[in-house]
């Protein structure tokens, strides 16, 4: 099994350019199904989740050519309506294909994404919204069968929680539906704005992306386009935490500071000096970080759940007690046990984690429990004294492109052993 071997306690210094955002690239790839001429996505990050989306598109009948960070999708004449169970299970975000397949094929047969390393991942909000748009849903032996016998039509849909996935599925189903859809309590994440911008570039008529109410006027067809995926704000948060934890200095290029404001204010609270310009963020960390009082994960523009674990690793060596409250997922503290093996002092109860900063962490053999939990271990290992070996890298490879190259370019000592 391959592993990352990290020799810690080296100060990170230098500059990095961000990759495209995984959480945007995946819905954009699903949305590419909807056009009737080729779509070219640039700055598409080379990740295993992107490769999984490409396999799904090929299964659905598309021709997909990948070259570097550029992915070209040529839609097939017809679109299949199923995704094989293995592909659904490989990537939980595959549920974002539901709205797109329904719009293209008029029906979709997908197995439930089921639970994952973050706890149960229900899709009730997605299904309830689609039902309001003319979809009938039947569940049978772990598979959900969705049909729109009379086509999809617009509706006023109110989400009881601003779910990112449900917002994406409603957008994908609504762009080619008959009439207007008004989506209330929509997710406001920057990745939603990116999806709306992409769809509008393809000819959709969407207003309000990034706001609580999104209006989608259905159109008859979408055309292809060339589109650059937005930069990855979670990759940015991870590198900033990595530089901060080593007392380092980092210039991130391609960053959108506005997307990072909740994370930047936490870094500032910990004592980092930050300078944000239109598309760069510069961080200079103190010798010893200060505590962060309380981090509450919330829907955007609140603190992102995806940055909770890497920032917790940073708090683990800060001076004082920091508190985390995870409000999005039930089971997002799996990395805590691994951080403890490295000497961190963290107690959890339900949604709360209390982190007593320690003077130093020490290298250990640890395992990635999930994607962002893996990133937390990398951050901790960079700060730790001695050598850390991190295995189960499949999790990290889902979401971080060329991680060890990026860190090594900043002066870290990180080697992947196969
Ligand atoms: C979530 C994050 C997103 C992140 C992604 C990957 C939020 C609001 N969303 O998106 O920023 O990039 O994980 O880590 O931070 N839920 C239901 N029923 C549903 C759908 C969701 O109960 O039909 C619940 C989930 O159990 C969870 C919460 O809503 O507690 C967040 O769900 P959602 O935003 O849909 O999750 P993702 O789309 O995976």
């Amino acid at each position: 099994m391959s592993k990352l071997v990290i020799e810690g306690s080296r100060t990170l210094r230098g500059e990095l350019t961000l990759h495209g955002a995984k959480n945007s690239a995946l819905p954009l790839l699903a949305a590419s199904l909807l056009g009737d001429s080729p779509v070219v996505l640039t700055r598409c990050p080379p990740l295993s989740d992107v490769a999984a989306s490409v396999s799904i598109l090929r299964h659905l009948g598309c021709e997909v050519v990948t070259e570097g960070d550029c992915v070209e999708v040529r839609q097939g004449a017809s679109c299949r309506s199923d995704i094989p169970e293995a592909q659904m299970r490989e990537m939980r975000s595959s549920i974002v294909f539901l709205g797109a397949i329904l719009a293209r094929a008029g029906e979709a047969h997908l197995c439930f994404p089921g639970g994952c390393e973050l706890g149960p991942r229900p899709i009730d909000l997605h299904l309830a919204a689609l039902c309001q748009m003319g979809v009938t849903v039947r569940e049978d032996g772990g598979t959900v069968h969705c049909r729109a016998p009379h086509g999809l039509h617009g509706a006023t849909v109110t989400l009881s929680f601003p779910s990112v996935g449900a917002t994406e599925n409603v957008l994908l189903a609504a762009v080619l539906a008959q009439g207007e859809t008004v989506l209330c309590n929509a997710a406001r994440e920057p990745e939603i704005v990116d999806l709306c911008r992409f769809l509008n570039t393809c000819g959709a008529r969407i207003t309000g992306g990034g706001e609580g109410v999104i209006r989608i006027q259905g159109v008859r067809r979408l055309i292809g386009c060339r589109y650059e995926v937005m930069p990855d704000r979670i990759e940015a948060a991870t590198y900033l935490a990595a530089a901060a934890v080593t007392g380092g200095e980092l210039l991130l290029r391609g960053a959108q500071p506005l997307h990072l404001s909740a994370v930047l204010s936490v870094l500032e609270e910990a004592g980092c000096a930050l300078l944000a310009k239109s598309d760069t963020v510069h961080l200079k960390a103190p010798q010893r970080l200060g505590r962060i009082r309380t981090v509450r994960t919330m829907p955007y523009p609140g603190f992102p759940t995806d940055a909770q674990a890497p920032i917790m690793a940073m708090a683990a060596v800060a001076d004082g007690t920091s508190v985390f409250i995870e409000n999005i997922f039930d089971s997002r503290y799996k990395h805590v046990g691994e951080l403890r093996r490295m000497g961190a002092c963290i107690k959890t109860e339900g949604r709360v984690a209390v982190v007593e900063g320690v003077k130093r962490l020490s290298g250990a053999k640890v395992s990635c429990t999930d994607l962002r939990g893996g990133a937390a271990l990398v951050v901790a290992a960079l700060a730790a004294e001695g050598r850390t070996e991190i295995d189960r890298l499949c999790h990290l490879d889902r979401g971080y492109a060329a991680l060890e190259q990026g860190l090594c370019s900043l002066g870290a000592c990180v080697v992947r052993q196969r």
Side-chain angles (χ1 to χ4, degrees), residues 22-23 92-93 95 118 120-127 161-168 187 189 191 233-234 297-300 303-306 326-330 332 351 371-372 398:
K22 169 180 91 78
N23 291 339
R92 151 62 234 191
S93 331
I95 194 63
L118 306 184
R121 307 279 293 251
I123 55 167
D124 54 316
L125 300 177
H126 305 228
L127 297 179
F161 176 85
S163 154
V164 174
T167 300
E168 289 162 350
E189 269 67 1
E191 293 77 13
R233 63 194 171 105
I234 307 302
T297 66
M298 303 284 263
Y300 188 84
F303 188 92
T305 176
D306 283 348
E326 172 55 57
N327 290 308
I328 306 297
F329 291 111
D330 289 340
R332 209 165 194 185
R351 293 181 174 271
L371 166 56
R372 306 303 171 185
R398 286 183 42 225

Side-chain angles (χ1 to χ4, degrees), residues 167-327:
T167 300
E168 289 162 350
N169 265 326
V170 170
L171 281 166
L172 296 178
V175 278
L176 291 173
Q178 193 121 53
E180 189 186 44
T181 300
V182 181
L183 178 59
C184 304
N185 200 23
R188 292 183 285 160
E189 269 67 1
E191 293 77 13
I192 298 290
V193 179
D194 211 31
L195 178 59
C196 292
R197 276 188 53 211
F198 167 76
L199 289 167
N200 282 342
T201 311
C202 295
R205 289 177 58 198
I206 305 171
T207 55
E211 294 164 24
V213 179
I214 302 180
R215 288 172 193 276
I216 308 126
Q217 194 67 53
V219 295
R220 288 171 67 87
R221 58 181 285 246
L222 294 180
I223 50 169
C225 71
R226 189 178 178 89
Y227 190 83
E228 186 177 63
V229 178
M230 64 172 272
D232 195 319
R233 63 194 171 105
I234 307 302
E235 184 190 39
T238 305
Y239 277 117
L240 290 169
V245 86
T246 64
E249 190 168 353
L250 173 63
L251 178 69
L252 273 185
R253 292 191 186 280
Q256 300 206 359
L258 194 61
H259 297 168
L260 286 163
S261 59
V263 171
L264 296 184
S265 72
V266 163
L267 289 162
E268 220 153 33
E269 191 183 345
C272 297
L274 287 156
L275 183 63
K277 295 206 178 143
S278 60
D279 67 348
T280 60
V281 173
H282 179 264
L283 170 141
K284 188 167 181 353
Q287 254 337 342
R288 177 103 205 259
L289 293 163
R291 68 175 184 152
I292 312 152
R293 273 182 199 83
T294 308
V295 172
R296 289 184 178 79
T297 66
M298 303 284 263
Y300 188 84
F303 188 92
T305 176
D306 283 348
Q308 176 254 105
I311 294 290
M312 184 183 290
M314 191 186 93
V317 286
D319 191 14
T321 305
S322 306
V323 176
F324 290 75
I325 305 172
E326 172 55 57
N327 290 308

